Amino acid sequence: MTLTLHEFARSGNAYKIRLLLAHLGRPYARREYDILTGETRTPEFLAKVNANGRIPVLQVDDKFLPESNAALFYLAEGTRYLPADTFDKADTLRWLFWEQYNHEPNIATLRYWATYGGGWDAQSPAKQAQIAAKQVGGEEALALMDAHLAARDWLVGAAMSIADIALYAYTHVAEDGGFELATHPNVLAWLARIAAQPGHIPITA
Ligand SMILES: N[C@@H](CCC(=O)N[C@@H](CS)C(=O)NCC(=O)O)C(=O)O
């Protein structure tokens, strides 16, 4: 089976998948697209890779799987990174869905606008009007994680899972988007725990 990751290297959504692949020790090819110049919006990309015009997409032989957390679930099935217990497996999915609804649209989007997206001031008035709500939503997400992690080392169960990997990706760079991590000590300790795992790679790898 051949794996190819269609990605933009600075994307946290792509990093999630690379981080899991590193822990699994699985070889894969990388295909980089410049999302800033619309390389994921070409007719060829839309027809063949992802009709939704976005990376990351995990290619498994000749099949294409868009959505970062779907790729995490696919790769983790049968490994130590996805609990076998049905409740814990569903609880893992809970965190993946929550990441996409409450965390990533706030924290990742503000990071994107602030960094390689050109800066907040360069955004359209419509996007600038969303900044305050995203700051509130992102802060609420970090606070929820901090409270959850007060009594446990990992988001689900007693070991690192794809729930932790999915949330690590944009949490560890949240300060790029103007969020403060120092006020969330349990999140900081959890980030350090993940980074200390054997096989960990940085987002720049
Ligand atoms: N829900 C998707 C989000 C994918 C996404 O937003 N990708 C961004 C980069 S992180 C992208 O490809 N943007 C380019 C564009 O929209 O043209 C996932 O988790 O994979």
Side-chain angles (χ1 to χ4, degrees):
M1 176 185 296
T2 303
L3 298 176
T4 303
L5 182 61
H6 299 258
E7 65 166 342
F8 174 67
R10 281 175 284 174
S11 155
N13 284 319
Y15 170 53
K16 292 172 193 173
I17 302 172
R18 293 200 309 275
L19 182 53
L20 177 60
L21 285 164
H23 281 296
L24 294 173
R26 290 191 67 168
Y28 64 103
R30 295 171 72 167
R31 166 82 163 83
E32 176 82 4
Y33 298 82
D34 186 353
I35 62 171
L36 304 172
T37 58
E39 285 185 3
T40 60
R41 300 286 169 161
T42 64
E44 296 75 25
F45 185 95
L46 296 173
K48 187 180 169 202
V49 182
N50 183 5
N52 197 30
R54 289 175 173 82
I55 53 79
V57 175
L58 181 67
Q59 182 181 350
V60 183
D61 294 330
D62 59 354
K63 293 193 287 194
F64 294 83
L65 184 61
E67 294 297 328
S68 57
N69 290 349
L72 291 184
F73 182 81
Y74 170 78
L75 292 167
E77 181 76 359
T79 78
R80 58 192 287 215
Y81 299 103
L82 183 64
D85 173 80
T86 303
F87 184 89
D88 284 353
K89 189 182 285 193
D91 203 24
T92 305
L93 290 179
R94 174 267 284 241
W95 285 107
L96 301 191
F97 297 137
W98 181 81
E99 189 261 353
Q100 287 284 297
Y101 192 82
N102 292 83
H103 187 288
E104 193 260 18
N106 298 312
I107 294 174
T109 301
L110 288 187
R111 168 181 178 257
Y112 175 51
W113 291 347
T115 56
Y116 44 86
W120 288 352
D121 292 346
Q123 304 306 315
S124 66
K127 286 181 176 172
Q128 289 193 26
Q130 297 173 34
I131 290 174
K134 288 186 181 297
Q135 287 173 321
V136 172
E139 178 54 35
E140 283 176 358
L142 293 172
L144 185 147
M145 290 173 68
D146 202 61
H148 184 77
L149 289 164
R152 37 176 86 72
D153 284 350
W154 306 104
L155 291 175
V156 178
M160 187 171 84
S161 71
I162 54 172
D164 302 289
I165 289 176
L167 267 308
Y168 180 83
Y170 284 111
T171 303
H172 88 292
V173 289
E175 288 176 343
D176 289 353
F179 294 96
E180 232 188 285
L181 290 175
T183 49
H184 303 292
N186 302 316
V187 168
L188 277 180
W190 167 82
L191 290 174
R193 210 171 289 130
I194 293 174
Q197 291 296 300
H200 183 80
I201 55 164
I203 193 168
T204 47

